[in-house]
């Protein structure tokens, strides 16, 4: 862990650590908190976006595992462990579920290996790979943990926005799905600019000026291109708070924010 942490530059903010900060986590540095606070000053809804995104992930994973019988999940762009992580949600519904997390940040790698432990019946694995290399991701995920002849839930949460070109992002999605069998699912969500666009755009500009990995807001129409050829689960591509909310969801839980998500099945 020490050699991995040696690679971490604490003076440069990182999206996984800033996101951890917005979710109330402790695994972040002063540089992350400073840009996180500056971002929130311009766009106060960012913490609501983070909470809505995490709640959507919880509901989507529960849907896949508890309702659709998916027992394998490939979560790319893991981020730092906080609460209701993918393996915890999945293995609460099916203890035998097998989860592979993918990231390429040394701090995430160190913390994931230490903290992302699952049930004895299932498997929780972390692999160090880059989103832009789908072939390596599929090879490593299928080497010991996932059976790629059986359906897999592919999770791409708040990571495709880091790919500058929406066409390239779409190509990555298609290449990943091409390696998964019929009956697999895609869970995806990213920031949009349709509810409070100007404020979010201004805050994103601050982020892009301070962080080495830029982020690009996408319109719902652009996000929908990731779903081409898939069977989109109702209610479709919607603000994350509106995707199958709990019956007892509060007014605040249901408030629309600039992050749209969807779940879709590979036919």
């Amino acid at each position: 862990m020490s050699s991995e942490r040696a690679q971490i530059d604490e003076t440069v903010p990182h999206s996984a650590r800033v996101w951890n900060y917005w979710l109330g986590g402790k695994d972040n540095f002063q540089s992350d908190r400073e840009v996180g606070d500056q971002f929130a000053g311009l766009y106060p809804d960012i913490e609501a976006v983070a909470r809505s995104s995490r709640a959507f992930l919880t509901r989507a994973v529960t849907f896949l595992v508890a309702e659709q019988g998916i027992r394998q999940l490939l979560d790319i762009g893991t981020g730092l462990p906080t609460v209701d992580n993918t393996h915890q949600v999945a293995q609460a519904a099916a203890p035998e579920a097998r989860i592979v997390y993918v990231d390429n940040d040394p701090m995430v790698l160190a913390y994931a290996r230490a903290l992302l432990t699952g049930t004895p019946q299932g498997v929780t694995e972390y692999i160090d790979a880059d989103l832009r290399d789908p072939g390596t991701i599929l090879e490593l995920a299928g080497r010991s943990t996932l059976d790629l002849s059986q359906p897999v839930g592919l999770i791409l949460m708040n990571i495709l926005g880091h790919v500058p070109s929406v066409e390239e992002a779409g190509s990555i999605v298609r290449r990943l799905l091409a390696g998964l069998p019929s009956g697999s699912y895609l869970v995806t969500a990213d920031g949009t600019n349709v509810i409070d666009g100007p404020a979010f755009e201004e805050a994103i500009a601050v982020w892009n000026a301070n962080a080495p990995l830029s982020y690009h807001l996408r319109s719902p129409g652009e996000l929908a291109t990731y779903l081409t050829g898939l069977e989109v689960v109702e209610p479709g591509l919607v603000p994350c708070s509106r995707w199958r909310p709990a019956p007892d969801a509060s007014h605040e839980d249901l408030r629309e924010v600039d992050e749209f998500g969807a779940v879709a099945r590979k036919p």
Side-chain angles (χ1 to χ4, degrees):
M1 184 167 175
S2 60
S3 63
E4 287 161 345
R5 288 189 63 90
Q7 304 173 44
I8 299 166
D9 186 348
E10 299 182 12
T11 67
V12 178
H14 187 278
S15 58
R17 300 194 303 263
V18 176
W19 199 257
N20 174 269
Y21 174 55
W22 286 330
L23 283 170
K26 305 298 182 185
D27 299 313
N28 46 74
F29 300 125
Q30 183 64 30
S31 62
D32 307 306
R33 295 188 288 273
E34 287 176 354
V35 75
D37 288 341
Q38 188 178 3
F39 193 111
L42 295 169
Y43 185 65
D45 257 5
I46 189 58
E47 293 182 5
V49 168
R51 291 191 302 270
S52 181
S53 176
R54 181 50 58 113
F56 164 73
L57 174 64
T58 298
R59 296 194 302 275
V61 169
T62 300
F63 168 77
L64 295 190
V65 177
E67 298 185 36
Q68 302 305 310
I70 297 295
R71 293 295 181 266
Q72 306 186 107
L73 296 166
L74 178 59
D75 187 343
I76 304 176
T78 307
L80 289 166
T82 50
V83 295
D84 295 333
N85 299 292
T86 297
H87 75 286
Q88 294 170 320
V89 176
Q91 292 175 348
E96 72 276 19
R98 306 170 74 85
I99 292 87
V100 172
Y101 289 108
V102 181
D103 212 297
N104 67 341
D105 176 74
M107 182 172 180
V108 174
L109 173 62
Y111 275 87
R113 286 181 172 161
L115 300 176
L116 294 181
T117 56
T119 59
Q121 304 96 313
V123 177
T124 303
E125 183 189 8
Y126 178 93
I127 60 176
D128 186 7
D130 193 292
L131 171 69
R132 294 173 177 81
D133 189 1
T136 295
I137 289 174
L138 292 169
E139 178 188 354
L140 294 176
R143 183 172 295 175
S144 61
T145 302
L146 302 185
D147 178 356
L148 299 185
S149 70
Q150 298 298 313
V152 174
L154 171 63
I155 300 172
L156 297 168
M157 292 285 298
N158 295 295
I159 186 166
L160 295 172
H162 287 298
V163 180
S165 162
V166 68
E167 290 78 14
E168 182 186 357
S171 173
I172 289 169
V173 174
R174 290 189 294 274
R175 288 155 63 196
L176 287 165
L177 287 171
L180 305 179
S182 173
S184 294
Y185 282 84
L186 170 66
V187 175
T188 185
D190 262 299
T192 63
N193 54 5
V194 295
I195 294 172
D196 194 9
F200 207 177
E201 293 279 8
E202 185 178 4
I204 288 291
V206 168
W207 170 262
N208 290 345
N210 287 277
L213 189 60
S214 63
Y215 189 85
H216 307 271
L217 299 178
R218 303 255 151 84
S219 71
E222 289 174 319
L223 297 180
T225 63
Y226 305 152
L227 310 173
T228 301
L230 304 179
E231 299 168 352
V232 182
V233 175
E234 291 295 331
L237 178 67
V238 294
C240 284
S241 58
R242 299 296 177 137
W243 195 89
R244 300 192 174 210
D248 61 350
S250 68
H251 178 73
E252 178 62 21
D253 291 336
L254 294 172
R255 185 167 65 88
E256 295 185 355
V257 293
D258 262 318
E259 174 150 317
F260 278 49
V263 176
R265 180 182 182 275
K266 179 178 177 178

Short mmCIF file of all heavy atoms in Angstrom, two decimals, residues 161-209:
data_model
loop_
_atom_site.label_atom_id
_atom_site.label_comp_id
_atom_site.label_asym_id
_atom_site.label_seq_id
_atom_site.Cartn_x
_atom_site.Cartn_y
_atom_site.Cartn_z
N GLY A 161 -18.15 10.74 -18.95
CA GLY A 161 -17.98 12.18 -19.09
C GLY A 161 -16.52 12.61 -19.09
O GLY A 161 -16.20 13.72 -19.51
N HIS A 162 -15.64 11.72 -18.63
CA HIS A 162 -14.21 12.03 -18.65
C HIS A 162 -13.60 11.77 -20.02
O HIS A 162 -12.43 12.11 -20.25
CB HIS A 162 -13.47 11.21 -17.59
CG HIS A 162 -13.72 11.67 -16.20
ND1 HIS A 162 -13.37 12.92 -15.75
CD2 HIS A 162 -14.28 11.04 -15.13
CE1 HIS A 162 -13.69 13.06 -14.47
NE2 HIS A 162 -14.26 11.93 -14.08
N VAL A 163 -14.35 11.14 -20.91
CA VAL A 163 -13.87 10.92 -22.28
C VAL A 163 -14.26 12.15 -23.10
O VAL A 163 -15.44 12.46 -23.23
CB VAL A 163 -14.50 9.65 -22.88
CG1 VAL A 163 -13.98 9.43 -24.30
CG2 VAL A 163 -14.21 8.43 -22.00
N PRO A 164 -13.30 12.89 -23.65
CA PRO A 164 -13.62 14.17 -24.31
C PRO A 164 -14.62 14.06 -25.44
O PRO A 164 -15.47 14.94 -25.60
CB PRO A 164 -12.24 14.65 -24.81
CG PRO A 164 -11.26 14.00 -23.90
CD PRO A 164 -11.84 12.66 -23.57
N SER A 165 -14.57 13.01 -26.22
CA SER A 165 -15.45 12.86 -27.37
C SER A 165 -16.59 11.92 -27.04
O SER A 165 -16.37 10.80 -26.58
CB SER A 165 -14.66 12.32 -28.56
OG SER A 165 -15.52 11.77 -29.54
N VAL A 166 -17.83 12.37 -27.30
CA VAL A 166 -18.98 11.49 -27.05
C VAL A 166 -18.94 10.30 -27.99
O VAL A 166 -19.40 9.20 -27.64
CB VAL A 166 -20.30 12.28 -27.17
CG1 VAL A 166 -20.56 12.71 -28.61
CG2 VAL A 166 -21.48 11.47 -26.63
N GLU A 167 -18.38 10.48 -29.18
CA GLU A 167 -18.26 9.36 -30.11
C GLU A 167 -17.30 8.30 -29.58
O GLU A 167 -17.56 7.10 -29.67
CB GLU A 167 -17.78 9.85 -31.48
CG GLU A 167 -18.81 10.66 -32.26
CD GLU A 167 -18.91 12.11 -31.76
OE1 GLU A 167 -18.01 12.55 -31.01
OE2 GLU A 167 -19.87 12.79 -32.14
N GLU A 168 -16.18 8.75 -29.00
CA GLU A 168 -15.23 7.81 -28.42
C GLU A 168 -15.85 7.09 -27.23
O GLU A 168 -15.67 5.88 -27.04
CB GLU A 168 -13.94 8.51 -28.00
CG GLU A 168 -12.90 7.56 -27.42
CD GLU A 168 -11.68 8.25 -26.85
OE1 GLU A 168 -11.59 9.49 -26.93
OE2 GLU A 168 -10.81 7.55 -26.32
N ALA A 169 -16.59 7.86 -26.40
CA ALA A 169 -17.25 7.25 -25.24
C ALA A 169 -18.22 6.16 -25.69
O ALA A 169 -18.28 5.07 -25.12
CB ALA A 169 -17.98 8.31 -24.43
N GLY A 170 -18.99 6.47 -26.74
CA GLY A 170 -19.92 5.48 -27.27
C GLY A 170 -19.22 4.25 -27.81
O GLY A 170 -19.69 3.12 -27.63
N SER A 171 -18.08 4.45 -28.44
CA SER A 171 -17.29 3.33 -28.96
C SER A 171 -16.81 2.43 -27.83
O SER A 171 -16.83 1.19 -27.95
CB SER A 171 -16.10 3.86 -29.76
OG SER A 171 -15.24 2.81 -30.14
N ILE A 172 -16.41 3.04 -26.71
CA ILE A 172 -15.96 2.26 -25.56
C ILE A 172 -17.11 1.40 -25.02
O ILE A 172 -16.94 0.22 -24.71
CB ILE A 172 -15.42 3.19 -24.46
CG1 ILE A 172 -14.08 3.80 -24.91
CG2 ILE A 172 -15.25 2.46 -23.13
CD1 ILE A 172 -13.59 4.93 -24.02
N VAL A 173 -18.30 2.00 -24.91
CA VAL A 173 -19.47 1.25 -24.44
C VAL A 173 -19.74 0.06 -25.36
O VAL A 173 -19.96 -1.07 -24.89
CB VAL A 173 -20.71 2.16 -24.36
CG1 VAL A 173 -21.96 1.35 -24.02
CG2 VAL A 173 -20.51 3.26 -23.32
N ARG A 174 -19.72 0.30 -26.66
CA ARG A 174 -20.02 -0.78 -27.61
C ARG A 174 -18.98 -1.89 -27.55
O ARG A 174 -19.31 -3.08 -27.65
CB ARG A 174 -20.12 -0.21 -29.03
CG ARG A 174 -21.35 0.66 -29.25
CD ARG A 174 -21.53 1.03 -30.71
NE ARG A 174 -20.46 1.89 -31.20
CZ ARG A 174 -20.47 3.22 -31.09
NH1 ARG A 174 -21.47 3.84 -30.50
NH2 ARG A 174 -19.47 3.94 -31.59
N ARG A 175 -17.71 -1.52 -27.38
CA ARG A 175 -16.66 -2.54 -27.32
C ARG A 175 -16.77 -3.36 -26.05
O ARG A 175 -16.56 -4.58 -26.07
CB ARG A 175 -15.29 -1.86 -27.41
CG ARG A 175 -14.99 -1.34 -28.83
CD ARG A 175 -14.01 -0.19 -28.83
NE ARG A 175 -12.70 -0.55 -28.31
CZ ARG A 175 -11.79 0.34 -27.93
NH1 ARG A 175 -12.06 1.65 -27.99
NH2 ARG A 175 -10.62 -0.05 -27.50
N LEU A 176 -17.13 -2.73 -24.95
CA LEU A 176 -17.33 -3.49 -23.71
C LEU A 176 -18.51 -4.43 -23.83
O LEU A 176 -18.44 -5.61 -23.47
CB LEU A 176 -17.52 -2.52 -22.54
CG LEU A 176 -16.29 -1.77 -22.05
CD1 LEU A 176 -16.68 -0.61 -21.15
CD2 LEU A 176 -15.34 -2.73 -21.31
N LEU A 177 -19.62 -3.92 -24.35
CA LEU A 177 -20.82 -4.74 -24.48
C LEU A 177 -20.62 -5.88 -25.48
O LEU A 177 -21.21 -6.95 -25.34
CB LEU A 177 -22.02 -3.88 -24.90
CG LEU A 177 -22.59 -2.98 -23.81
CD1 LEU A 177 -23.62 -2.02 -24.40
CD2 LEU A 177 -23.22 -3.82 -22.69
N ALA A 178 -19.78 -5.65 -26.49
CA ALA A 178 -19.52 -6.70 -27.48
C ALA A 178 -18.88 -7.93 -26.84
O ALA A 178 -19.03 -9.05 -27.36
CB ALA A 178 -18.62 -6.16 -28.59
N GLY A 179 -18.19 -7.74 -25.73
CA GLY A 179 -17.55 -8.85 -25.04
C GLY A 179 -18.44 -9.53 -24.02
O GLY A 179 -17.98 -10.46 -23.34
N LEU A 180 -19.69 -9.07 -23.90
CA LEU A 180 -20.63 -9.63 -22.92
C LEU A 180 -21.77 -10.31 -23.66
O LEU A 180 -22.17 -9.88 -24.74
CB LEU A 180 -21.16 -8.53 -22.00
CG LEU A 180 -20.11 -7.71 -21.25
CD1 LEU A 180 -20.78 -6.64 -20.40
CD2 LEU A 180 -19.22 -8.61 -20.39
N PRO A 181 -22.35 -11.36 -23.08
CA PRO A 181 -23.38 -12.12 -23.79
C PRO A 181 -24.76 -11.46 -23.73
O PRO A 181 -24.98 -10.50 -22.96
CB PRO A 181 -23.40 -13.46 -23.03
CG PRO A 181 -23.02 -13.09 -21.64
CD PRO A 181 -22.00 -11.98 -21.79
N SER A 182 -25.66 -11.97 -24.55
CA SER A 182 -27.06 -11.57 -24.50
C SER A 182 -27.60 -11.75 -23.08
O SER A 182 -27.24 -12.71 -22.39
CB SER A 182 -27.88 -12.42 -25.47
OG SER A 182 -29.26 -12.17 -25.33
N GLY A 183 -28.44 -10.82 -22.65
CA GLY A 183 -28.96 -10.86 -21.29
C GLY A 183 -28.16 -10.04 -20.31
O GLY A 183 -28.56 -9.89 -19.15
N SER A 184 -27.02 -9.50 -20.77
CA SER A 184 -26.24 -8.59 -19.92
C SER A 184 -26.94 -7.23 -19.87
O SER A 184 -27.80 -6.91 -20.70
CB SER A 184 -24.82 -8.42 -20.48
OG SER A 184 -24.10 -9.63 -20.38
N TYR A 185 -26.56 -6.42 -18.89
CA TYR A 185 -27.18 -5.11 -18.70
C TYR A 185 -26.12 -4.02 -18.63
O TYR A 185 -24.99 -4.25 -18.17
CB TYR A 185 -27.98 -5.07 -17.40
CG TYR A 185 -29.33 -5.74 -17.47
CD1 TYR A 185 -29.45 -7.11 -17.30
CD2 TYR A 185 -30.50 -5.01 -17.70
CE1 TYR A 185 -30.69 -7.74 -17.36
CE2 TYR A 185 -31.74 -5.61 -17.76
CZ TYR A 185 -31.83 -6.98 -17.58
OH TYR A 185 -33.06 -7.59 -17.64
N LEU A 186 -26.51 -2.83 -19.06
CA LEU A 186 -25.71 -1.63 -18.89
C LEU A 186 -26.41 -0.71 -17.90
O LEU A 186 -27.61 -0.44 -18.04
CB LEU A 186 -25.55 -0.90 -20.23
CG LEU A 186 -24.94 0.51 -20.17
CD1 LEU A 186 -23.48 0.46 -19.71
CD2 LEU A 186 -25.04 1.20 -21.53
N VAL A 187 -25.67 -0.25 -16.89
CA VAL A 187 -26.13 0.79 -15.98
C VAL A 187 -25.22 1.98 -16.18
O VAL A 187 -24.00 1.88 -16.03
CB VAL A 187 -26.06 0.33 -14.51
CG1 VAL A 187 -26.44 1.47 -13.57
CG2 VAL A 187 -26.95 -0.88 -14.26
N THR A 188 -25.79 3.12 -16.56
CA THR A 188 -24.94 4.28 -16.84
C THR A 188 -25.61 5.56 -16.39
O THR A 188 -26.84 5.68 -16.40
CB THR A 188 -24.60 4.35 -18.35
OG1 THR A 188 -23.68 5.42 -18.57
CG2 THR A 188 -25.84 4.56 -19.20
N ALA A 189 -24.82 6.52 -15.97
CA ALA A 189 -25.31 7.85 -15.61
C ALA A 189 -24.16 8.83 -15.72
O ALA A 189 -23.00 8.49 -15.47
CB ALA A 189 -25.88 7.87 -14.19
N ASP A 190 -24.49 10.06 -16.13
CA ASP A 190 -23.49 11.12 -16.22
C ASP A 190 -24.16 12.47 -16.10
O ASP A 190 -25.39 12.59 -16.21
CB ASP A 190 -22.71 11.03 -17.53
CG ASP A 190 -21.37 10.33 -17.38
OD1 ASP A 190 -20.54 10.85 -16.60
OD2 ASP A 190 -21.14 9.30 -18.02
N GLY A 191 -23.34 13.49 -15.89
CA GLY A 191 -23.83 14.85 -15.73
C GLY A 191 -24.40 15.42 -17.02
O GLY A 191 -23.89 15.16 -18.11
N THR A 192 -25.48 16.19 -16.87
CA THR A 192 -26.11 16.84 -18.01
C THR A 192 -26.11 18.36 -17.79
O THR A 192 -25.61 18.85 -16.78
CB THR A 192 -27.56 16.34 -18.20
OG1 THR A 192 -28.32 16.70 -17.03
CG2 THR A 192 -27.60 14.84 -18.37
N ASN A 193 -26.73 19.09 -18.72
CA ASN A 193 -26.72 20.55 -18.62
C ASN A 193 -28.09 21.13 -18.97
O ASN A 193 -28.18 22.17 -19.61
CB ASN A 193 -25.65 21.13 -19.55
CG ASN A 193 -25.81 20.62 -20.99
OD1 ASN A 193 -26.77 19.93 -21.32
ND2 ASN A 193 -24.86 20.98 -21.84
N VAL A 194 -29.15 20.41 -18.56
CA VAL A 194 -30.49 20.82 -19.00
C VAL A 194 -31.36 21.40 -17.89
O VAL A 194 -32.37 22.02 -18.17
CB VAL A 194 -31.24 19.63 -19.65
CG1 VAL A 194 -30.54 19.21 -20.92
CG2 VAL A 194 -31.36 18.45 -18.69
N ILE A 195 -30.99 21.19 -16.63
CA ILE A 195 -31.81 21.68 -15.52
C ILE A 195 -31.24 22.98 -14.97
O ILE A 195 -31.96 23.96 -14.78
CB ILE A 195 -31.93 20.60 -14.43
CG1 ILE A 195 -32.72 19.40 -15.00
CG2 ILE A 195 -32.62 21.15 -13.19
CD1 ILE A 195 -32.75 18.19 -14.11
N ASP A 196 -29.96 23.02 -14.71
CA ASP A 196 -29.31 24.25 -14.26
C ASP A 196 -27.99 24.38 -14.99
O ASP A 196 -26.93 24.51 -14.39
CB ASP A 196 -29.11 24.22 -12.74
CG ASP A 196 -28.75 25.58 -12.17
OD1 ASP A 196 -28.84 26.58 -12.92
OD2 ASP A 196 -28.40 25.65 -10.99
N GLY A 197 -28.09 24.33 -16.32
CA GLY A 197 -26.92 24.25 -17.17
C GLY A 197 -25.85 25.29 -16.95
O GLY A 197 -24.68 24.95 -16.75
N PRO A 198 -26.19 26.60 -16.97
CA PRO A 198 -25.13 27.61 -16.85
C PRO A 198 -24.30 27.48 -15.58
O PRO A 198 -23.07 27.59 -15.62
CB PRO A 198 -25.92 28.93 -16.88
CG PRO A 198 -27.14 28.61 -17.67
CD PRO A 198 -27.49 27.20 -17.29
N ALA A 199 -24.95 27.24 -14.43
CA ALA A 199 -24.22 27.12 -13.17
C ALA A 199 -23.33 25.88 -13.19
O ALA A 199 -22.18 25.92 -12.74
CB ALA A 199 -25.19 27.06 -12.00
N PHE A 200 -23.86 24.78 -13.69
CA PHE A 200 -23.07 23.55 -13.74
C PHE A 200 -21.90 23.71 -14.71
O PHE A 200 -20.78 23.28 -14.44
CB PHE A 200 -23.97 22.39 -14.17
CG PHE A 200 -23.54 21.04 -13.67
CD1 PHE A 200 -24.31 19.91 -13.94
CD2 PHE A 200 -22.37 20.86 -12.95
CE1 PHE A 200 -23.94 18.65 -13.49
CE2 PHE A 200 -21.98 19.60 -12.48
CZ PHE A 200 -22.76 18.50 -12.76
N GLU A 201 -22.14 24.35 -15.85
CA GLU A 201 -21.08 24.57 -16.83
C GLU A 201 -19.96 25.42 -16.23
O GLU A 201 -18.77 25.16 -16.45
CB GLU A 201 -21.64 25.24 -18.08
CG GLU A 201 -22.61 24.39 -18.89
CD GLU A 201 -21.92 23.40 -19.80
OE1 GLU A 201 -20.69 23.25 -19.69
OE2 GLU A 201 -22.62 22.77 -20.62
N GLU A 202 -20.33 26.45 -15.47
CA GLU A 202 -19.33 27.31 -14.84
C GLU A 202 -18.50 26.54 -13.84
O GLU A 202 -17.27 26.68 -13.78
CB GLU A 202 -20.02 28.50 -14.16
CG GLU A 202 -19.03 29.52 -13.58
CD GLU A 202 -19.72 30.71 -12.94
OE1 GLU A 202 -20.97 30.73 -12.88
OE2 GLU A 202 -19.01 31.62 -12.48
N ALA A 203 -19.16 25.70 -13.05
CA ALA A 203 -18.44 24.90 -12.07
C ALA A 203 -17.54 23.87 -12.75
O ALA A 203 -16.40 23.64 -12.31
CB ALA A 203 -19.44 24.21 -11.14
N ILE A 204 -18.02 23.27 -13.82
CA ILE A 204 -17.20 22.31 -14.56
C ILE A 204 -15.96 22.99 -15.13
O ILE A 204 -14.86 22.40 -15.17
CB ILE A 204 -18.02 21.64 -15.68
CG1 ILE A 204 -19.04 20.67 -15.09
CG2 ILE A 204 -17.12 20.94 -16.69
CD1 ILE A 204 -18.45 19.44 -14.45
N ALA A 205 -16.08 24.24 -15.56
CA ALA A 205 -14.93 24.98 -16.06
C ALA A 205 -13.87 25.14 -14.97
O ALA A 205 -12.66 25.04 -15.24
CB ALA A 205 -15.37 26.34 -16.60
N VAL A 206 -14.31 25.38 -13.73
CA VAL A 206 -13.38 25.46 -12.60
C VAL A 206 -12.69 24.12 -12.40
O VAL A 206 -11.48 24.05 -12.20
CB VAL A 206 -14.13 25.91 -11.32
CG1 VAL A 206 -13.26 25.71 -10.09
CG2 VAL A 206 -14.56 27.36 -11.44
N TRP A 207 -13.48 23.06 -12.44
CA TRP A 207 -12.91 21.73 -12.29
C TRP A 207 -11.84 21.47 -13.36
O TRP A 207 -10.74 21.03 -13.06
CB TRP A 207 -14.01 20.66 -12.38
CG TRP A 207 -13.44 19.28 -12.48
CD1 TRP A 207 -13.26 18.53 -13.60
CD2 TRP A 207 -12.90 18.51 -11.39
NE1 TRP A 207 -12.66 17.33 -13.29
CE2 TRP A 207 -12.44 17.30 -11.94
CE3 TRP A 207 -12.79 18.72 -10.02
CZ2 TRP A 207 -11.86 16.30 -11.16
CZ3 TRP A 207 -12.21 17.73 -9.24
CH2 TRP A 207 -11.76 16.54 -9.81
N ASN A 208 -12.19 21.74 -14.60
CA ASN A 208 -11.28 21.44 -15.71
C ASN A 208 -10.01 22.29 -15.67
O ASN A 208 -8.99 21.90 -16.23
CB ASN A 208 -12.00 21.61 -17.04
CG ASN A 208 -13.05 20.53 -17.27
OD1 ASN A 208 -13.07 19.51 -16.59
ND2 ASN A 208 -13.94 20.77 -18.23
N ALA A 209 -10.09 23.44 -15.00
CA ALA A 209 -8.91 24.29 -14.87
C ALA A 209 -7.99 23.83 -13.74
O ALA A 209 -6.83 24.24 -13.67
CB ALA A 209 -9.33 25.73 -14.62
#
